[in-house]
Amino acid sequence: MKYATIADTDIKVSKICLGGMSFGVPYEDFLMWTLDQKKTTEIIGHALDLGINFIDTANVYAHGTSEQYIAQSLKDLKISRDKVVIASKVFWNEGQLSKEAILREIDGTLKRLDTDYLDIYYIHRFDYGTPIEETMETLDSLVKTGKVRVLGASAMYAYQFHNMIIAAEKNGWTKFKVMQNHYNLLYREDERELIPLCDQLGVSRVPYSPLASGHLAHVEWRTESSRSKTDMTMRGKYDQAQENDEKIIARVAELADRYGVSMAQVAIAWVLAKGVTAPIVGATSPVHFDNAAAAVDFELSADDCKYLEEPYEPH
């Protein structure tokens, strides 16, 4: 495994981040395919054995049970807190990013994760109903009290991210150091503005869904997996562009065959080639992380990347 450092910090993370949305108690219409505690512990143990030390979750994943399962897994595996980098999020909760909500939700997250602090705390989305200053001042207080080491943001317009950083600069508050955005070969809209802004500001990029919810890991658009059958969020993200996406998927399969690697390795290698710190990989099987770890050492040429990118049409 290779490692990188989060911008302007001493936090060293593996080049692959373990996504926690696959863990927890299943619930209707969104996460019917999550893993139970035993399987969660097996997956996390396997990822740790591969050198993956970076774990991402959120207060709403499986109604908070993702955080609980991760905590129990680390306890069962006897992993000391300083050996892992843990990130969680706030927004999809009552009050969204208001002061009251953030202070309430961070305490709930810390309790469920059985830890005194988070390495990274993301705002899960932009809050149109709360003043930016209220949100940024409250987040700053979490850093000053030691509950959070680094602040991050996720999935918003570039101007919103920029405005929040400006508010922090003007008031001497802690600024964001990480951006978790939606980015893969099938969804590249942030290449216009958000990604260049992050690079300009020196913000680390930790994108989610590098495999496009599994679409880039197999040729078939639909599979027999529980997730493929039940994940309505995945369908909402990708089904509208299926015709174009299948052209890209075919090229991923072609390169995988040419180089004798999995399609997942090709897709993740492409994301890594685009300058990200660590893509977030969700997995329900140990082999998923074997592929992800192998992708770190598999490099695509500039021509390969161009070939994969060529069929893309703006969404």
Side-chain angles (χ1 to χ4, degrees):
M1 180 53 58
K2 295 178 182 177
Y3 299 86
T5 303
I6 298 296
D8 300 324
T9 75
D10 60 356
I11 299 176
K12 189 177 181 181
V13 299
S14 50
K15 291 290 290 180
I16 297 294
C17 178
L18 186 162
M21 199 169 75
S22 302
F23 311 140
V25 177
Y27 64 94
E28 295 289 339
D29 299 327
F30 184 42
L31 295 178
M32 291 293 292
W33 42 272
T34 52
L35 303 180
D36 62 21
Q37 181 64 69
K38 181 181 178 182
K39 291 180 179 178
T40 296
T41 302
E42 291 174 358
I43 289 286
I44 291 177
H46 187 68
L48 292 169
D49 287 343
L50 292 170
I52 296 171
N53 72 338
F54 192 8
I55 302 175
D56 177 87
T57 185
N59 61 342
V60 293
Y61 290 169
H63 294 302
T65 57
S66 171
E67 293 176 329
Q68 292 174 332
Y69 279 24
I70 289 168
Q72 187 62 50
S73 295
L74 295 175
K75 182 178 180 180
D76 292 345
L77 294 165
K78 296 180 171 56
I79 304 298
S80 60
R81 178 65 182 85
D82 63 337
K83 298 301 181 183
V84 289
V85 176
I86 301 176
S88 194
K89 310 180 191 74
V90 58
F91 175 80
W92 298 110
N93 42 254
E94 183 182 353
Q96 298 185 325
L97 300 182
S98 66
K99 178 179 179 179
E100 179 184 7
I102 291 172
L103 296 180
R104 179 189 67 241
E105 293 300 321
I106 185 63
D107 287 342
T109 282
L110 294 177
K111 182 178 181 180
R112 289 188 293 271
L113 283 167
D114 193 21
T115 182
D116 295 328
Y117 68 96
L118 287 179
D119 295 288
I120 303 173
Y121 198 35
Y122 295 98
I123 57 170
H124 215 154
R125 291 292 186 273
F126 181 81
D127 184 355
Y128 289 86
T130 301
I132 287 174
E133 290 76 13
E134 178 180 340
T135 296
M136 295 308 295
E137 184 175 21
T138 307
L139 292 172
D140 177 66
S141 74
L142 301 185
V143 176
K144 288 179 177 175
T145 57
K147 292 183 177 181
V148 173
R149 296 178 67 190
V150 174
L151 299 178
S154 177
M156 61 181 64
Y157 292 113
Y159 82 89
Q160 295 168 332
F161 187 52
H162 191 235
N163 285 345
M164 297 190 87
I165 288 179
I166 288 175
E169 287 179 339
K170 284 183 176 179
N171 292 281
W173 297 325
T174 307
K175 293 185 289 185
F176 295 120
K177 294 298 181 183
V178 192
M179 168 53 69
Q180 183 180 137
N181 63 309
H182 182 198
Y183 190 51
N184 55 56
L185 276 164
L186 306 187
Y187 190 83
R188 294 167 43 205
E189 299 307 292
D190 285 345
E191 288 180 348
R192 294 192 195 96
E193 296 182 2
L194 185 60
I195 289 174
L197 175 62
C198 289
D199 292 344
Q200 176 183 318
L201 297 174
V203 171
S204 293
R205 291 188 280 121
V206 181
Y208 67 86
S209 202
L211 296 177
S213 299
H215 284 307
L216 290 166
H218 42 72
V219 175
E220 304 84 4
W221 189 256
R222 294 269 187 271
T223 70
E224 292 303 308
S225 71
S226 176
R227 181 175 191 181
S228 184
K229 292 178 179 178
T230 63
D231 191 345
M232 295 300 104
T233 299
M234 173 181 72
R235 294 183 183 181
K237 285 181 180 178
Y238 298 111
D239 279 8
Q240 62 182 333
Q242 179 179 346
E243 183 177 353
N244 180 236
D245 289 350
E246 287 180 335
K247 298 175 185 177
I248 300 167
I249 292 168
R251 295 196 179 197
V252 172
E254 180 187 334
L255 288 188
D257 184 63
R258 181 191 304 173
Y259 292 119
V261 299
S262 68
M263 290 177 63
Q265 283 175 254
V266 173
I268 294 172
W270 178 83
V271 173
L272 288 167
K274 307 306 286 187
V276 308
T277 299
I280 300 170
V281 178
T284 54
S285 170
V287 71
H288 295 160
F289 280 118
D290 291 335
N291 284 326
V296 173
D297 296 313
F298 173 63
E299 294 186 10
L300 293 168
S301 69
D303 286 342
D304 289 333
C305 290
K306 183 178 179 180
Y307 182 66
L308 291 170
E309 295 165 11
E310 189 177 36
Y312 186 83
E313 295 178 0
H315 290 45

